[in-house]
Amino acid sequence: MHLSVVSPVYQGEKTVTELMRRLVSAISPLTQDFEIILVDDGSKDHSWKIIQDLAQQESRIKALQFSRNFGQHHALTAGLDICQGDWVVMMDCDLQDRPEEVPRLYAKAKEGFDVVVARRGKRKDGLLKKFCNWAFYKIFNFLTGMQYDPQVGGFRIMSKKVVIALRTMREQHRFINGLIHWMGFRTASVDTEHAARLDGKSTYTFIKLLKFSLEIITSYSEKPLKISALIGFIIALLAFAFGVAIFIKAFFYGTPVSGWSSLIISLYFLSGVMMMVLGVLGIYLGKVLSEVKNRPLYVISHAIGVDTSK
């Protein structure tokens, strides 16, 4: 197999047919030896039925259906686990990343790069999503020490050796883009056009984005623990200095020690800090618990063109 395309599908009944049509049209001039892997991430609409119909029309479609919604990056993982191409394209099904850009990514990769990412120009997203995306990568880069470009999404092409390396990384909390960036393979970028959504709106609500950001940042960085420890140290140092100042004023100058209000405020403040530190520690312990359970990353309910018995 020369080329594989992996696309997670969630609530994509109105886009997946157009995605297939445009992908086949874009890839066919490059090679006829390709496969398109669609992973239905527990959609509640008719996405799986449409995928079944498409697979009957096009033999190069392979498909998986999850038993429930596991998440976009778990769906990508499943597709990468079964793909066979020497080159593998990752892209969403909402058509904001245009299938017509695949030949440009492929051409750049053939220049000797293991990873070629699509760098979006003017994003056709709402202001809230743009802000959340910008804020996430600013915080992510600060906490992880990476220099990840916020204009780069999941749309990319990778060589087979990158995919093989990815398959060895089985942590539960997944951020495929971060894993690829961390591996450090030779990477290039291609400026592409970011299209408006063909249908509906993103299923990533603000709450989901916030939850995902918290999971990813605490999975890929230990800095929150270090920052918590630093805050604790600074507060302890300030409290010690304040205590010394009160002792000196009382012992040498006879100033009476008073101020129950300030004492109560200090107690509440310190209690809040302690709860915050314990909360951060609890998040990391929860992640350790998730990993030691060693559960599968996903559960497949149905498959098309794939032997899932192995």
Side-chain angles (χ1 to χ4, degrees):
M1 189 68 62
H2 186 65
L3 183 66
S4 299
V5 179
V6 175
S7 180
V9 177
Y10 183 69
Q11 309 293 76
E13 63 179 4
K14 295 183 179 179
T15 59
V16 68
T17 300
E18 180 67 7
L19 171 69
M20 281 300 310
R21 183 190 68 79
R22 290 169 62 179
L23 272 175
V24 172
S25 177
I27 297 173
S28 293
L30 300 177
T31 178
Q32 291 298 312
D33 189 20
F34 67 88
E35 63 181 359
I36 299 174
I37 300 172
L38 303 173
V39 183
D40 181 9
D41 186 22
S43 298
K44 295 179 175 61
D45 60 9
H46 297 96
S47 295
W48 182 247
K49 177 63 170 63
I50 294 172
I51 290 172
Q52 289 177 309
D53 294 340
L54 289 170
Q56 290 180 350
Q57 303 167 24
E58 173 57 69
S59 61
R60 289 170 291 195
I61 292 180
K62 297 178 182 178
L64 300 173
Q65 183 189 40
F66 283 172
S67 59
R68 64 169 176 83
N69 178 246
F70 281 85
Q72 177 188 14
H73 292 264
H74 289 75
L76 285 169
T77 299
L80 294 173
D81 284 344
I82 66 170
C83 68
Q84 299 178 348
D86 295 326
W87 294 97
V88 180
V89 174
M90 291 194 324
M91 66 182 303
D92 294 338
C93 76
D94 58 14
L95 292 172
Q96 286 196 271
D97 294 316
R98 301 171 64 250
E100 291 77 16
E101 303 285 4
V102 171
R104 297 182 60 218
L105 298 177
Y106 176 78
K108 188 68 177 179
K110 296 296 284 185
E111 294 178 14
F113 297 98
D114 291 303
V115 181
V116 178
V117 297
R119 194 174 188 277
R120 300 159 174 172
K122 187 177 180 181
R123 292 177 62 100
K124 301 294 179 65
D125 291 320
L127 289 176
L128 179 60
K129 188 171 182 181
K130 288 180 181 178
F131 173 76
C132 290
N133 183 76
W134 173 84
F136 167 74
Y137 283 112
K138 282 290 185 182
I139 297 172
F140 180 79
N141 287 343
F142 168 72
L143 292 177
T144 62
M146 297 184 186
Q147 294 301 316
Y148 194 90
D149 187 349
Q151 295 297 327
V152 173
F155 188 26
R156 64 192 61 210
I157 190 170
M158 307 174 291
S159 66
K160 191 169 187 175
K161 67 180 177 181
V162 177
V163 175
I164 291 173
L166 266 175
R167 288 173 181 166
T168 66
M169 301 180 184
R170 309 306 289 183
E171 53 258 52
Q172 292 286 333
H173 302 278
R174 307 191 67 72
F175 179 44
I176 300 293
N177 303 353
L179 291 175
I180 296 171
H181 186 85
W182 176 84
M183 289 191 294
F185 285 103
R186 193 174 181 217
T187 302
S189 64
V190 171
D191 291 332
T192 60
E193 178 184 348
H194 192 234
R197 292 184 66 88
L198 185 66
D199 175 73
K201 60 181 181 180
S202 174
T203 56
Y204 274 107
T205 63
F206 177 76
I207 298 299
K208 284 185 177 180
L209 286 171
L210 188 63
K211 181 181 177 182
F212 178 72
S213 301
L214 180 63
E215 287 183 353
I216 295 307
I217 287 171
T218 52
S219 295
Y220 287 79
S221 173
E222 60 183 25
K223 270 191 179 180
L225 288 172
K226 295 179 179 178
I227 291 173
S228 298
L230 179 62
I231 291 173
F233 174 76
I234 291 173
I235 291 176
L237 187 63
L238 291 174
F240 177 77
F242 185 62
V244 170
I246 291 176
F247 174 78
I248 291 174
K249 289 175 68 176
F251 187 79
F252 291 101
Y253 300 100
T255 304
V257 178
S258 61
W260 285 103
S261 297
S262 60
L263 177 61
I264 295 300
I265 291 172
S266 299
L267 286 174
Y268 274 110
F269 175 70
L270 291 174
S271 298
V273 171
M274 291 174 62
M275 292 297 292
M276 181 193 73
V277 173
L278 289 173
V280 173
L281 184 60
I283 290 172
Y284 280 91
L285 288 175
K287 292 188 178 300
V288 172
L289 177 62
S290 295
E291 296 297 335
V292 298
K293 287 179 180 177
N294 199 29
R295 290 178 178 174
L297 297 179
Y298 50 84
V299 178
I300 297 172
S301 176
H302 297 93
I304 299 173
V306 181
D307 183 6
T308 58
S309 62
K310 297 179 181 180

